[in-house]
Amino acid sequence: MKQVRSLAVLAAICGFGLSALAQQPPAEEPGWAKGRPKANDSAMKMAPVPAFPIPTSADKLPTPKFKLPPGFKVETWATGVLDARGLRQGPDGNILVSSLFVANKVYAIPEKGEHKAKVIIDKMPFATGIEYHKGSLFLATNEKIYRWDNVDGKLDNLGEPKVIYDKLPGGGDHSWKFLRIHDEKLYYEVGAPCNICDPGQWAKIYRMNLDGTGLETIASGVRNTVGFDFDPKTGDLWFTDNGRDWFSEELPNDELNHVTKPGQQHFGYPYCHQGTIPDPEFGWGKSCDEFQKPAALLGPHAGSLGLVFYRGKMFPAKYQGAMFIARHGPWNRTKKYADVSVAWPDGKGGARVEPFMTGFVQDNQYLGRPVDFLVLRDGSMLVSDDHNGAIYRISYGK
Amino acid sequence: MAKKVAGLLSCVTVLALVVFSPQAGGQQKAPATRAAVSGPKAAAKPPAVSYAERFAAICAACHGANGRAADPLVPVLAGQTSLYAITQLFLFREGRRSNPAMTAVGKTLTDDDMRGFSDYIGTLPAVAPPAPAAPPDAARMAKGRALAEQHKCVFCHGADLAGGQQVPRIAGQHEDYLRDTLRGFHSGARPGYTQAMVSAVSQIPEADLDTLAYYVARFPAGK
């Protein structure tokens, strides 16, 4: 009987058996479900599971289980930071922490003392993209980019922001933001509004002046980047990109990409994945050779999020100038994995990637999920974990 | 209607007495009741308080001792998952989801309370609705089934509408509660923990939402 019902449902979804309802078009399926194999029960059971609404208490954190290369040490730096996502250096010795689906908050955590988070922005859905630059705090939601000026000394009472840009597309699919400020320009992305579709004008990385004017495209064909940074040696932009879902469990890989000609490169989406796989629907009439190849592959459904170039001096020389990449881990792959990886540009346009911090998965369950990084002034590095609402600190030596 | 309001008020009164009384929901628990608390988290470390007993003292007045109260506007908790329960307690505590009784309760909850109550709710088995006084309207049921297929309710709620993880069981939920909830998602008055329901129902006419509520409340079990 169940099978008969399922068949009836499938028939309805496929557009048959709808005669009774012909006056109404079938509802759009959610963007994340586009391309999902409807005849496969395992796939049909997978849906995004949001983060748990309570932070993990300090004694239950996975910190003692993390493994790092010899000489490195990891400690719990802050707890009780529900939905901790983006990390940025703020004013007055504070670390700024953003959130995504759950908390709707931005926190400030004093670097000294007990690292207790204070909420400085509240009731702001998709409060994810944050930056601080010369006394101004930037926040990009899925709809708008806000700027608060002269915030030094008044994080407790930010007042009203200016809206410097209000033409972001909104919505829930790949609509959250990652911000960087480089050479007095604000960089951000707008992801594809779906798993796989024609993204129209979106699926790009942009930059603008710090007042919201002078919008330019920096890279096209970018499905969803949630992490990018500039190589301190060359000034080039490197970014992670999350590969399409539902193609298969093992393909395609997420990409690590390198922008060498800003505004002129197309990185393949939705036509070509990981530089080598034409999309079974959108790839017809195209060749992967038309698009910029990735510098490295980051694993299938890896959820490659934050990326930072290590500019500190504390870590050994081989890590100085390397990129750290947070692999948040798959939500729709049977076998889970997550880690902090490290990547070195090879000087020939590519990069070598290896795991750096592991221990986030046990018995195919997440113990923690890394999101973003901040290199502190002493050269140690913070890692946010939205699964636990915690922040870890990695140091080297003594 | 007057009866419903009176019922709600009496619930709130009971809640106020229970929640704000220093004796209630308290620390002095008979060891025997601890065994009633199950769930993986409770098992790992014996809880200082029994959430079974606190549920009986605080929640059961409105929701029923078995999680299925007769009041058509009080949602059935029996058969809900722990994760769904905690997302809703979180929304009440954060002041995002609005309901006088639950907002009052939400404000008192610690993180441990949220886990304890939701883990306990997750142990309550589903309770079938009482047999209807009259058989369901066959035409309306057929329309509701077609709408549920058209709008892909089963994609997340499952073919048996029993939910899972953060997705609630809706089969057998009270029709009035379902109707108000669907209309709330439609108008934006009712926030979700995710955007899923807001986007799912935004384009559905209210009359069809009411038909869906009729059908889902009478969803034939075992088919």
Side-chain angles (χ1 to χ4, degrees):
Chain A
M1 192 62 204
K2 240 181 182 159
Q3 277 169 347
V4 175
R5 280 180 47 79
S6 305
L7 282 174
V9 171
L10 278 176
I13 290 163
C14 299
F16 306 107
L18 274 176
S19 52
L21 297 155
Q23 71 277 17
Q24 283 177 11
E28 278 276 296
E29 61 191 337
W32 58 263
K34 285 191 198 309
R36 185 164 61 160
K38 295 183 174 57
N40 185 300
D41 281 350
S42 296
M44 289 302 285
K45 279 186 200 135
M46 291 177 175
V49 176
F52 197 69
I54 307 291
T56 306
S57 59
D59 59 324
K60 297 207 172 62
L61 286 172
T63 318
K65 296 182 175 164
F66 291 138
K67 292 194 171 51
L68 294 108
F72 285 94
K73 186 177 86 173
V74 60
E75 66 200 299
T76 302
W77 191 80
T79 60
V81 192
L82 177 65
D83 197 19
R85 295 281 298 195
L87 294 174
R88 291 293 182 272
Q89 181 73 53
D92 316 319
N94 284 286
I95 305 304
L96 304 175
V97 188
S98 72
S99 61
L100 178 49
F101 296 116
V102 179
N104 298 358
K105 297 178 193 345
V106 175
Y107 310 88
I109 306 181
E111 286 182 67
K112 296 214 168 101
E114 292 175 20
H115 306 149
K116 207 166 159 32
K118 268 187 308 188
V119 176
I120 60 167
I121 297 171
D122 202 359
K123 303 187 192 320
M124 180 76 88
F126 292 90
T128 314
I130 48 168
E131 257 294 19
Y132 169 80
H133 181 67
K134 295 184 179 170
S136 292
L137 172 63
F138 295 78
L139 170 68
T141 69
N142 58 337
E143 293 177 340
K144 293 175 186 173
I145 306 177
Y146 300 89
R147 197 183 80 203
W148 287 261
D149 292 328
N150 308 311
V151 302
D152 296 9
K154 39 179 264 206
L155 284 179
D156 285 336
N157 182 19
L158 287 172
E160 286 300 308
K162 286 182 191 133
V163 175
I164 62 168
Y165 194 73
D166 63 1
K167 295 184 176 57
L168 300 175
D173 289 302
H174 303 154
S175 59
W176 49 97
K177 294 285 158 281
F178 186 90
L179 300 182
R180 289 269 185 218
I181 291 172
H182 179 70
D183 288 347
E184 300 300 312
K185 298 274 188 185
L186 179 68
Y187 289 74
Y188 69 95
E189 86 294 356
V190 178
C194 58
N195 167 40
I196 185 75
C197 62
D198 177 348
Q201 64 174 307
W202 307 118
K204 289 177 183 158
I205 300 174
Y206 303 89
R207 74 176 184 188
M208 58 172 47
N209 298 319
L210 301 184
D211 61 2
T213 63
L215 186 66
E216 298 170 80
T217 297
I218 296 301
S220 304
V222 180
R223 180 176 174 274
N224 189 37
T225 177
V226 201
F228 46 82
D229 198 7
F230 296 86
D231 184 339
K233 287 203 190 82
T234 63
D236 288 354
L237 178 67
W238 290 70
F239 67 93
T240 59
D241 194 12
N242 286 253
R244 72 158 285 184
D245 291 319
W246 310 123
F247 184 88
S248 85
E249 290 247 10
E250 301 303 328
L251 290 171
N253 281 258
D254 284 5
E255 301 170 0
L256 174 63
N257 287 307
H258 177 194
V259 179
T260 51
K261 295 176 198 148
Q264 295 173 44
Q265 289 164 304
H266 190 294
F267 289 84
Y269 182 88
Y271 312 109
C272 174
H273 309 291
Q274 70 167 57
T276 54
I277 303 176
D279 187 82
E281 184 178 356
F282 293 92
W284 293 92
K286 305 274 183 189
S287 160
C288 280
D289 294 339
E290 295 171 43
F291 305 105
Q292 185 63 36
K293 305 273 185 208
L297 302 182
L298 296 175
H301 310 285
S304 307
L305 303 186
L307 181 156
V308 73
F309 276 91
Y310 182 75
R311 295 173 173 82
K313 297 278 181 255
M314 178 192 275
F315 293 2
K318 74 180 263 204
Y319 295 100
Q320 296 180 15
M323 282 168 269
F324 286 95
I325 295 168
R327 299 202 299 172
H328 193 238
W331 62 268
N332 54 359
R333 182 175 187 264
T334 302
K335 191 162 165 29
K336 311 295 185 232
Y337 64 102
D339 66 15
V340 172
S341 288
V342 59
W344 291 269
D346 66 8
K348 294 177 279 188
R352 180 168 61 86
V353 187
E354 63 183 50
F356 174 76
M357 174 180 178
T358 58
F360 288 91
V361 178
Q362 182 177 292
D363 301 330
N364 210 33
Q365 302 274 329
Y366 290 114
L367 301 181
R369 303 185 76 181
V371 178
D372 198 17
F373 306 103
L374 178 68
V375 179
L376 297 177
R377 292 188 182 94
D378 69 0
S380 63
M381 186 169 78
L382 301 182
V383 183
S384 58
D385 173 355
D386 63 345
H387 182 78
N388 289 313
I391 299 171
Y392 314 107
R393 175 177 174 265
I394 300 171
S395 56
Y396 182 82
K398 303 163 285 299
Chain B
M1 188 63 201
K3 201 176 165 192
K4 275 178 201 162
V5 172
L8 183 62
L9 284 176
S10 69
C11 277
V12 174
T13 313
V14 171
L15 280 167
L17 287 171
V18 171
V19 171
F20 302 110
S21 155
Q23 299 300 315
Q27 317 294 318
Q28 71 291 16
K29 293 298 157 206
T33 61
R34 284 187 188 159
V37 181
S38 58
K41 289 189 180 83
K45 189 180 157 197
V49 291
S50 154
Y51 285 97
E53 194 161 310
R54 290 184 66 183
F55 183 92
I58 298 173
C59 315
C62 295
H63 287 284
N66 65 352
R68 181 176 190 101
D71 188 324
L73 286 175
V74 174
V76 177
L77 302 183
Q80 299 297 2
T81 63
S82 164
L83 181 53
Y84 173 70
I86 203 167
T87 63
Q88 300 307 302
L89 291 175
F90 172 77
L91 293 177
F92 286 124
R93 190 174 72 172
E94 286 281 295
R96 289 188 214 162
R97 187 176 168 187
S98 168
N99 172 281
M102 286 308 299
T103 303
V105 173
K107 283 182 187 152
T108 69
L109 298 177
T110 65
D111 286 359
D112 284 346
D113 290 340
M114 306 253 288
R115 287 181 192 272
F117 281 116
S118 55
D119 281 350
Y120 177 71
I121 290 166
T123 68
L124 297 173
V127 177
D137 179 321
R140 205 159 181 219
M141 288 298 283
K143 176 88 194 293
R145 184 165 58 242
L147 285 168
E149 289 172 2
Q150 180 195 357
H151 296 297
K152 305 186 168 61
C153 304
V154 297
F155 266 43
C156 298
H157 290 280
D160 52 2
L161 303 185
Q165 303 247 55
Q166 81 277 18
V167 179
R169 170 186 292 271
I170 52 174
Q173 183 58 271
H174 293 308
E175 180 184 357
D176 289 10
Y177 174 77
L178 287 168
R179 188 196 56 231
D180 285 5
T181 303
L182 288 168
R183 288 182 174 208
F185 284 131
H186 189 259
S187 70
R190 163 76 191 270
Y193 189 65
T194 70
Q195 291 297 304
M197 280 306 291
V198 174
S199 55
V201 307
S202 63
Q203 302 302 316
I204 306 179
E206 278 206 351
D208 286 351
L209 295 178
D210 294 356
T211 303
L212 278 167
Y214 182 93
Y215 165 72
V216 169
R218 292 164 180 78
F219 183 76
K223 281 196 192 171

